Amino acid sequence: MAIHLNYPLVIFFAVVFFVPVFYKLKLTSIYEYLEMRFGIYARTINSIVFLMVQCISAGVILYAVSLILVQVMPITIIQAILCISIFTAIYTYAGGISTVIWTDMLQSLILVIGTIAIFVILLFDIDSSVKSTPEMLNVINLSLDPSIDTTLWAGLVAVAFLHFECLWH
């Protein structure tokens, strides 16, 4: 959920800087702009890279879920990958886009319930015998030091670029 906190910033910049250009040029995708500006090779390379990144991302997610499944069921990793892939293909084919949307809604609900549960558990199960220092309680690092990569600002910039990439595909 925290990854989406900068959506308003990303959408603002997209609406202010990208949409007017796309509208004026009567374009519907970033690929059309790439072809118009740099040629068919730029469009093709970008499309291929996007597809490769999506395949790798889907593979990593599938493997991660399979690792969890292997821990709770007496199956191998290959069997887990096959089961998840077949199940996902069947329910997507059988139910169409509405099934995918309902699955996303259910996943979001589970994430929200999990977030609330973690917050409540942390709120009521704090061990008061542990001596805490201010550094232990500093969850958000607001440092402007560019050598530190785990600051709020570095995260906002990195995720903004991620969202820009997702927004135009």
Side-chain angles (χ1 to χ4, degrees), residues 107-135:
Q107 180 183 10
S108 298
L109 182 66
I110 291 170
L111 288 171
V112 169
I113 290 170
T115 302
I116 293 169
I118 289 171
F119 181 74
V120 169
I121 289 169
L122 288 175
L123 194 62
F124 292 111
D125 199 26
I126 294 178
D127 186 8
S128 61
S129 66
V130 175
K131 181 166 173 54
S132 61
T133 63
E135 292 81 26

Side-chain angles (χ1 to χ4, degrees), residues 51-113:
L51 289 173
M52 288 174 55
V53 167
Q54 293 304 309
C55 287
I56 292 169
S57 173
V60 168
I61 292 167
L62 181 60
Y63 183 69
V65 173
S66 297
L67 288 175
I68 296 168
L69 199 57
V70 166
Q71 295 299 316
V72 296
M73 295 180 70
I75 58 175
T76 66
I77 193 77
I78 294 172
Q79 291 170 329
I81 289 171
L82 287 173
C83 288
I84 293 168
S85 299
I86 291 169
F87 174 75
T88 304
I90 289 171
Y91 89 78
T92 302
Y93 178 75
I97 191 67
S98 64
T99 303
V100 175
I101 292 170
W102 279 106
T103 304
D104 286 346
M105 191 276 310
L106 180 63
Q107 180 183 10
S108 298
L109 182 66
I110 291 170
L111 288 171
V112 169
I113 290 170

Side-chain angles (χ1 to χ4, degrees), residues 2-22:
I3 197 169
H4 301 292
L5 292 178
N6 69 343
Y7 262 170
L9 178 68
V10 171
I11 291 171
F12 171 77
F13 279 106
V15 167
V16 170
F17 296 109
F18 294 111
V19 171
V21 173
F22 278 46

